[in-house]
Amino acid sequence: MPDSEDARRSWELLLRQMLGEEGAREALEALEAGGFDPAGMAEATGLPMDPASLQAMMLQMQRLMATGGDDVVNWDLARDIARQTAHTGGDPSLTTAQASRAVSALQVADLWLDAATDLPPAGGGRSAWSRAQWVEGTMEVWKRLTSPVATSVADALAGVIAAQQADLPIQEGGGEMLRRLGGSVFGMQVGQAAGTLAREVFGTSDTGLPLVEGHGTALVVSNVEAYAEGLDAGPEEVLQLLAVREAAHARLYAHVPWLRPHILGLVEEYARGISIDVDRMEEAVRSIDVTDPDALRSALSGGVFAMEVSPEQAAALERLETALALVEGWVEDVAGRAVAPHLPHAVPLREMLRRRRAAGGPAEHVFATLVGLQLRPRKLREAAALWGSLVAAGGPEQRDALWEHPDLLPQADDLDDGAAFLARRRFAEESEAELDAALAEILGGEQPDGEQPPSS
């Protein structure tokens, strides 16, 4: 049992952080008048008694609460955790030779893609990234995608902690402190997730989402090299295929201006409708020290999202899955045509990537933890086959023309019956051609100023 006087001093210091000098004194007096045992409570909650440990805990708590502006989440802390996680196992700086090979592969990729699609190169820079650079390059989009959920998690966690710590007099300002604690714990999860992804992704587009601002391309060289180890194909061939896929994604998002806001908007629409399973959250944090942010993060890592999906979320999810399948299917078709004349192992390498995408991993499951959402194009093969059929029917220009407007794209049902979609496309084109011919005939018989031609 901790020394009673040390325990009292520890609780007094903790309450000062929450309530200020006067509020802490009054709260502690009221607790002790009601039979509060500081030593017993300290042992039950795991509150450290020695000054050094207590001060370290307080500094950690202060860092968690140091959010900027109206943000609930401490995004600086999230970024730091992401970088630390990305560095697990090492993240050495790239050599000049490594960077040169990656940039050269991206340059060659654009040359090969020119023969497979009419969409021009994305523009922007071509880069070779370390894992830490991937974190820095994607963090702003992570903030955008997870902020709606962070608010919900923060509010729910604050309520759970307040209920479980009923002996603590959470007065004016204390509720906001707990809310910020909850938001910052969620931010730590975002950092953990982004750092985990940084150790697996090949470039900026592995999730199918546009995770970077601007139109540049980048390859995470250490991940590409690790993936190539042990494969039958040589590392240069693997690098080149991944560079072509990266450049194809970039072309699509750069030259279809409505696509990026459409995809990100669907994720946000789904996230805004998420409900938190408060009972599950309460069970997760019941047996841990709520003053330990790492313990809180671990308790919530299994997910705390209710299983019920609203009709609006279900509709958003279907549109998102279809959109991702169309993006990935287009990249699959275009990249396959671009590399076929050049890479001896193109077919088996592409199949390995498809299986990797289907089997999942940290890159596939990360959003399930963060926003209760599995980002997976469930009909990738069907979408790729449909894009290929369009090329066979009318060339790459017919395939790429469908990206001119979202209303032109295939819907979820069309991926199940690509032949019917193509038949409707042919009928619509024939009808339009007939209408154009009829209008041309009518307009061709008119005279200037609306005069009719003279009768014979």
Side-chain angles (χ1 to χ4, degrees):
M1 176 76 69
D3 179 82
S4 179
E5 188 58 32
D6 286 342
R8 189 182 190 282
R9 283 197 296 270
S10 294
W11 276 105
E12 185 176 8
L13 181 56
L14 177 62
L15 291 171
R16 282 177 186 168
Q17 297 287 330
M18 299 168 60
L19 307 172
E21 184 77 30
E22 185 67 18
R25 183 183 61 77
E26 294 177 357
L28 196 57
E29 289 176 356
L31 285 171
E32 289 176 331
F36 172 67
D37 178 11
M41 183 60 71
E43 185 176 44
T45 61
L47 187 69
M49 293 298 100
D50 62 286
S53 297
L54 187 62
Q55 185 65 28
M57 188 199 79
M58 289 301 173
L59 289 174
Q60 187 178 30
M61 293 291 287
Q62 289 172 359
R63 189 178 180 217
L64 277 172
M65 302 306 171
T67 61
D70 297 329
D71 283 340
V72 172
V73 174
N74 185 336
W75 292 112
D76 289 337
L77 180 60
R79 178 182 284 102
D80 289 347
I81 289 175
R83 290 178 64 98
Q84 292 167 11
T85 304
H87 195 270
T88 302
D91 184 26
S93 299
L94 300 181
T95 66
T96 302
Q98 285 176 311
S100 177
R101 284 195 297 271
V103 172
S104 177
L106 290 168
Q107 291 171 336
V108 171
D110 273 324
L111 293 175
W112 292 0
L113 285 167
D114 285 341
T117 175
D118 290 337
L119 294 184
R126 298 183 179 97
S127 305
W129 278 357
S130 66
R131 292 164 177 168
Q133 286 173 308
W134 187 90
V135 168
E136 293 295 335
T138 61
M139 187 54 67
E140 286 303 312
V141 177
W142 283 100
K143 290 169 61 175
R144 174 178 171 180
L145 294 178
T146 58
S147 287
V149 188
T151 300
S152 297
V153 171
D155 290 340
L157 186 58
V160 167
I161 294 175
Q164 291 192 9
Q165 303 297 312
D167 290 322
L168 287 179
I170 308 299
Q171 298 179 4
E172 182 177 357
E176 178 62 21
M177 188 206 72
L178 288 179
R179 183 171 177 268
R180 288 186 178 274
L181 173 62
S184 292
V185 168
F186 183 80
M188 293 168 71
Q189 282 188 278
V190 174
Q192 181 77 36
T196 300
L197 271 175
R199 291 159 54 190
E200 180 179 307
V201 295
F202 301 133
T204 68
S205 56
D206 294 55
T207 63
L209 298 175
L211 289 179
V212 294
E213 305 285 352
H215 302 313
T217 52
L219 292 172
V220 185
V221 176
S222 58
N223 294 344
V224 174
E225 292 179 345
Y227 179 71
E229 291 179 0
L231 298 182
D232 291 336
E236 295 301 323
E237 195 172 346
V238 175
L239 173 66
Q240 193 60 65
L241 174 61
L242 295 174
V244 169
R245 290 182 56 84
E246 170 75 5
H249 272 102
R251 287 190 183 211
L252 188 62
Y253 277 111
H255 298 293
V256 181
W258 58 266
L259 182 58
R260 188 176 193 277
H262 175 69
I263 295 277
L264 296 182
L266 287 173
V267 177
E268 292 170 328
E269 182 180 345
Y270 182 91
R272 281 193 298 269
I274 280 177
S275 58
I276 306 301
D277 189 339
V278 177
D279 292 337
R280 184 173 178 179
M281 178 182 286
E282 185 175 1
E283 182 179 354
V285 302
R286 180 178 296 134
S287 59
I288 65 171
D289 174 12
V290 298
T291 65
D292 182 353
D294 288 325
L296 277 173
R297 184 179 64 183
S298 298
L300 300 181
S301 63
V304 292
F305 304 110
M307 298 302 293
E308 297 81 6
V309 176
S310 70
E312 293 78 12
Q313 281 182 293
L317 178 58
E318 182 179 22
R319 295 197 302 274
L320 177 62
E321 288 179 339
T322 301
L324 287 175
L326 291 171
V327 169
E328 294 296 291
W330 184 89
V331 169
E332 175 75 15
D333 183 71
V334 170
R337 296 175 190 277
V339 302
H342 307 285
L343 301 183
H345 296 88
V347 173
L349 283 175
R350 289 170 58 204
E351 182 60 29
M352 288 181 64
L353 288 173
R354 280 195 294 263
R355 292 180 180 179
R356 180 180 186 266
R357 188 84 162 97
E364 302 303 323
H365 300 300
V366 61
F367 268 78
T369 299
L370 290 178
V371 295
L373 175 64
Q374 285 280 8
L375 282 179
R376 187 172 301 172
R378 292 165 54 189
K379 298 180 179 180
L380 169 58
R381 289 182 183 271
E382 293 86 342
L386 182 55
W387 290 124
S389 298
L390 284 164
V391 174
E397 60 275 5
Q398 184 174 106
R399 176 198 59 202
D400 298 345
L402 293 188
W403 292 105
E404 291 178 2
H405 193 279
D407 291 346
L408 298 176
L409 288 177
Q411 302 301 306
D413 293 343
D414 296 324
L415 298 183
D416 294 325
D417 191 355
F421 175 77
L422 291 173
R424 289 198 305 274
R425 284 282 304 169
R426 284 194 296 269
F427 177 78
E429 290 169 357
E430 291 169 359
S431 299
E432 185 176 353
E434 291 175 0
L435 179 60
D436 289 343
L439 287 173
E441 184 177 351
I442 293 172
L443 295 175
E446 290 186 355
Q447 298 296 307
D449 301 324
E451 296 178 6
Q452 297 298 315
S455 59
S456 55

